[in-house]
Structure formats: C-alpha cells, structure tokens
Amino acid sequence: MHKDIDKILVSEEDILNKCEELGAQISKDYEDKQPIFIGLLKGSVPFMAELIKNISIDMEMDFMDVSSYSGTEQSDVRIIKDLETPIRDKYVIVVEDIVDTGKTYLKVKELLYAKGAKDVKIVSLLDKKERREVEVVPDYIGFEIPNAFVVGFGLDYNEKYRNLPYIGIIKPSAIV
Ligand code: IMP
Ligand code: MG
C-alpha cells in the first residue's frame, strides 16, 4: 500500500469484478444502440479502460475535460477540452470517477443534450450520495461510498495518486 494511504476502501479485485458486472449490464441494455462512451478527464481514464474491456457490443468513445467553478450563486462548468465526435442522435454514456455534489454531471448532461444527443446516461465508479446538492441519480454505479475524500483508480489529490490500483483514503498527514 502507498505510504500516504490510511485505508483501502475498495480493492483492485472488487473494482475489476464490478467493471465486469457493469460492462455486461450495459452491453445488454445497449444492444443495437452503438453507444458512445464519453469520459470526463482525467479521473475517468482508468475506469474507462477497464470498463470497455467488458463491453461486448459495438461502441465509440471520446473524452471531454470540464472544470467546475462556483461563481456567485450558481456553479457552472467551463469546457477545457470539447468532444471531437459528433453526438447528434446518439446514445451517450458519460463515464465518471465519482458523482459528488452532482453539479458536474448535471451541467455536462445539459451540454450533451444541447449538442443533440438522443439519450444521455451516466456510469460512475463511485457515488458519494450524502453530498448531493442537485437532483442527480446516476444510472449505473460501481460503489456507493461514505462522505470521505478518496483517491486512486483515477481520483487525485493535487494531481497525485491517480495511478493507485485501488480506492483509498489518504492520511491526514498527507493533506497539505
Ligand atoms: P461534483 O460536481 O460535485 O459531482 O464533482 C465531481 C468531481 O469532483 C469528480 O469528477 C472529481 O473530480 C471530484 N471529486 C469529488 N469527490 C472527490 C474525492 O473524494 N476525491 C477526488 N476527487 C473528488
Ligand atoms: Mg472529475
């Protein structure tokens, strides 16, 4: 285990098994729909890579990078890297590392519908339900986790720990 990690919350084995389960379910639900998976950079990369190994139907993929910022009252997302693939009339599956307040996904969903998507759903490795501030219910969830700051399998703290093959809680001493 990495020296800055206090506790492993979700093991690598559990993540890999969950990706198999989610992949099988999505492949069944989207048979003949040729969905496009849209990963939100950078946190979704390891999850996307593992998930699509378990997708047995034809699919496409693309990535988007958005950053959330809270202005006065309303929080908004800014597009840092936009899609390269047209999504008009397509079945879109957003791939996220975690849904926390829900604000990022809510905005991204609006954006994707504005680009003409036929249907937008989300698969998220983690769901921190307790922290939800807007009404968002992820369609496919890997693991529901308690209200703690987690890292690994794509999730970072100051851009570190994305490479860890498990989801862990960092030691307070590692938080600057
Ligand atoms: P939301 O808009 O509040 O749902 O935030 C989602 C984004 O916040 C995720 O894509 C992550 O990048 C980040 N985030 C939320 N909770 C955590 C965490 O525990 N560790 C690392 N990043 C997190
Ligand atoms: Mg993110």
Side-chain angles (χ1 to χ4, degrees):
M1 191 163 72
H2 190 288
K3 64 171 175 46
D4 294 347
I5 298 296
D6 223 351
K7 183 180 158 203
I8 294 182
L9 206 58
V10 189
S11 72
E12 180 173 18
E13 192 189 355
D14 287 348
I15 296 172
L16 301 193
N17 287 335
K18 186 61 78 176
C19 287
E20 268 187 40
E21 240 176 71
L22 289 170
Q25 186 64 50
I26 292 171
S27 301
K28 198 169 146 222
D29 296 348
Y30 284 82
E31 217 183 343
D32 305 322
K33 293 204 171 94
Q34 194 165 320
I36 176 162
F37 288 76
I38 296 179
L40 301 188
L41 294 169
K42 297 167 241 184
S44 70
V45 170
F47 178 46
M48 170 78 99
E50 198 50 48
L51 180 67
I52 65 168
K53 290 182 202 166
N54 297 290
I55 299 295
S56 55
I57 54 170
D58 287 340
M59 57 159 286
E60 294 177 70
M61 79 173 179
D62 201 348
F63 290 93
M64 236 179 138
D65 193 0
V66 298
S67 96
S68 25
Y69 61 91
S70 9
T72 47
E73 277 284 279
Q74 216 173 344
S75 95
D76 216 339
V77 299
R78 186 165 56 94
I79 301 177
I80 296 165
K81 182 214 169 284
D82 207 345
L83 296 174
E84 272 148 40
T85 323
I87 58 165
R88 179 156 300 281
D89 296 328
K90 288 183 187 169
Y91 288 88
V92 172
I93 303 173
V94 174
V95 182
E96 254 288 41
D97 48 2
I98 186 166
V99 178
D100 188 29
T101 65
K103 290 178 179 172
T104 305
Y105 176 54
L106 196 69
K107 286 287 172 185
V108 166
K109 187 158 88 165
E110 281 174 18
L111 266 166
L112 297 174
Y113 275 123
K115 284 177 183 284
K118 186 178 186 72
D119 180 66
V120 181
K121 294 216 166 17
I122 183 171
V123 54
S124 182
L125 177 60
L126 304 174
D127 184 6
K128 219 192 271 180
K129 223 173 170 178
E130 274 174 53
R131 294 244 316 156
R132 205 74 91 247
E133 289 176 25
V134 294
E135 215 173 298
V136 157
V137 182
D139 304 281
Y140 300 94
I141 297 164
F143 304 91
E144 207 180 298
I145 61 160
N147 184 9
F149 192 81
V150 295
V151 296
F153 220 87
L155 293 118
D156 74 305
Y157 171 63
N158 285 345
E159 294 302 322
K160 263 168 77 178
Y161 314 113
R162 293 192 195 273
N163 55 314
L164 303 183
Y166 48 80
I167 303 288
I169 297 179
I170 35 176
K171 291 179 182 165
S173 60
I175 298 173
V176 288

